[in-house]
Amino acid sequence: MHMHRKHFIALAAALFAGGAWAQGYPTKPITFVVPASAGGTTDLSARMLAQALGPALGQSVVVDNKAGGNGAIAASIVKRAPADGYTLLMQYSGYHVISPHLTKARQWELADFQPIANVLSAPQIIVVRSDVPARTLAELVAYAKSNPGKLNYASSGNGSLQHVTGAMLEQQAGIHMVHVPYKGTGPALQDLLAGQVQLTFGTAPPFMQHIASGKLRVLAVTGKERLPSLPDVPTTAQAGYPKLTPDSWFALFAPAAMPKDIAAKLSADVQKVMADPAFKQKALEQGATADYQTPAQLDAKVKADYANWATVVKTSKIEAD
């Protein structure tokens, strides 16, 4: 009897190790930990996906905002969480592939996570308050040159893509602006609207309503082509800065040790809900693109971007925290 029981236990263990995990998954709510406060594109990506994915998985998907530490707080929570598929990271590319180059005491490494799927991709837009006397990027550069240090630009943190975009523009245009970091785009946008800062760089979604109301003005888009949602706004290349083309992506990651069959199931479910035309349309209206990528494609993107940003950070002389 004991032999049989041992065999049974061994067989059960082998089954679980070999791919029986995903069959019952998920049996309880899933949490997306978001490294930024509400109101930015990382948060929007998480909420759009959570809303679509919940019904497909038959479980609720909860969004938990854990801003701070340039993404390190959220990343640390997910890194330490049980690798069972119930705690996932909705990551912002700036925190994933730029911040590590600017952090002296790292709390996480790329190897702590496995890629699940890319969700949204978006260029940056350059937005100013409507009372800034610049209607084009050229006029902004001219204004900055005649008023050195007078323009304050907001970012979602030191080493965020907004910060790097600002530093790249300063470098390429030969201007000096004052960088003011925030804990995410939400608080940065509040201070921009309140007049504490004059401009910012960021993905379009959180700014669209304020552009429509006339409070903010868009000078350029850092993409290779114009945004369908902002057809009158030139690209940075069209505005005279062809090297200013940083883009962002927003992707789902899991702890490195999570079983591969759960990762495969999750990625397939994400692909399914993102294929819905309504999901794609909502992303476009917000100034982003629903851009599903498999774990392998996302992994390749992470590695290429990580190497690329190492060079940009060195040449743009951005200081580490």
Side-chain angles (χ1 to χ4, degrees):
M1 176 67 196
H2 290 297
M3 274 303 277
H4 288 299
R5 188 169 171 187
K6 266 189 201 152
H7 278 265
F8 177 75
I9 291 167
L11 179 66
L15 268 175
F16 274 117
W21 289 111
Q23 283 172 10
Y25 172 87
T27 55
K28 59 182 183 181
I30 292 166
T31 300
F32 286 172
V33 182
V34 177
S37 42
T41 309
T42 319
D43 180 65
L44 174 86
S45 304
R47 288 176 195 279
M48 268 181 74
L49 186 60
Q51 200 179 355
L53 202 55
L57 292 173
Q59 288 290 344
S60 59
V61 182
V62 183
V63 174
D64 186 13
N65 299 85
K66 295 288 184 193
N70 293 331
I73 292 173
S76 299
I77 290 168
V78 178
K79 170 190 161 178
R80 290 196 303 264
D84 54 9
Y86 293 99
T87 308
L88 305 167
L89 179 67
M90 175 54 84
Q91 182 65 305
Y92 158 55
S93 57
Y95 291 153
H96 208 66
V97 295
I98 302 177
S99 295
H101 300 299
L102 290 159
T103 310
K104 290 194 175 107
R106 288 196 205 177
Q107 294 174 41
W108 60 275
E109 298 294 336
L110 290 184
D112 293 327
F113 300 100
Q114 60 174 307
I116 301 298
N118 192 64
V119 181
L120 297 187
S121 293
Q124 304 277 295
I125 55 172
I126 301 173
V127 279
V128 297
R129 281 175 53 83
S130 53
D131 57 3
V132 172
R135 298 202 160 267
T136 64
L137 188 52
E139 286 177 10
L140 181 76
V141 168
Y143 180 80
K145 279 184 175 162
S146 53
N147 298 276
K150 276 224 181 118
L151 283 176
N152 297 328
Y153 77 94
S155 83
S156 65
N158 196 53
S160 63
L161 193 58
Q162 291 102 311
H163 178 199
V164 176
T165 306
M168 286 167 85
L169 177 62
E170 287 181 298
Q171 194 185 16
Q172 292 173 30
I175 58 174
H176 171 62
M177 301 183 292
V178 179
H179 172 229
V180 186
Y182 290 86
K183 281 187 181 176
T185 304
L189 175 58
Q190 281 169 0
D191 267 15
L192 178 64
L193 293 169
Q196 310 290 343
V197 289
Q198 286 74 51
L199 75 153
T200 193
F201 308 85
T203 45
F207 302 100
M208 293 302 274
Q209 70 186 86
H210 306 293
I211 293 162
S213 74
K215 286 182 185 158
L216 301 178
R217 183 186 304 131
V218 196
L219 304 184
V221 175
T222 68
K224 293 176 181 59
E225 50 212 34
R226 294 184 183 214
L227 279 175
S229 53
L230 295 167
D232 301 333
V233 179
T235 65
T236 39
Q238 289 167 335
Y241 294 89
K243 287 188 180 154
L244 193 67
T245 55
D247 61 349
S248 302
W249 42 264
F250 305 86
L252 199 60
F253 290 85
M258 190 178 82
K260 288 285 179 263
D261 57 335
I262 293 183
K265 178 185 176 358
L266 260 174
S267 197
D269 285 331
V270 171
Q271 182 175 22
K272 211 181 305 169
V273 299
M274 281 182 59
D276 179 358
F279 191 97
K280 292 180 172 175
Q281 184 57 33
K282 185 173 181 187
L284 274 180
E285 283 166 7
Q286 301 281 351
T289 308
D291 180 20
Y292 172 79
Q293 287 163 22
T294 64
Q297 288 169 322
L298 178 56
D299 191 44
K301 189 176 179 62
V302 166
K303 288 179 174 133
D305 279 7
Y306 186 81
N308 177 42
W309 284 112
T311 314
V312 173
V313 167
K314 279 193 193 90
T315 57
S316 57
K317 300 182 178 59
I318 293 170
E319 291 303 309
D321 273 349

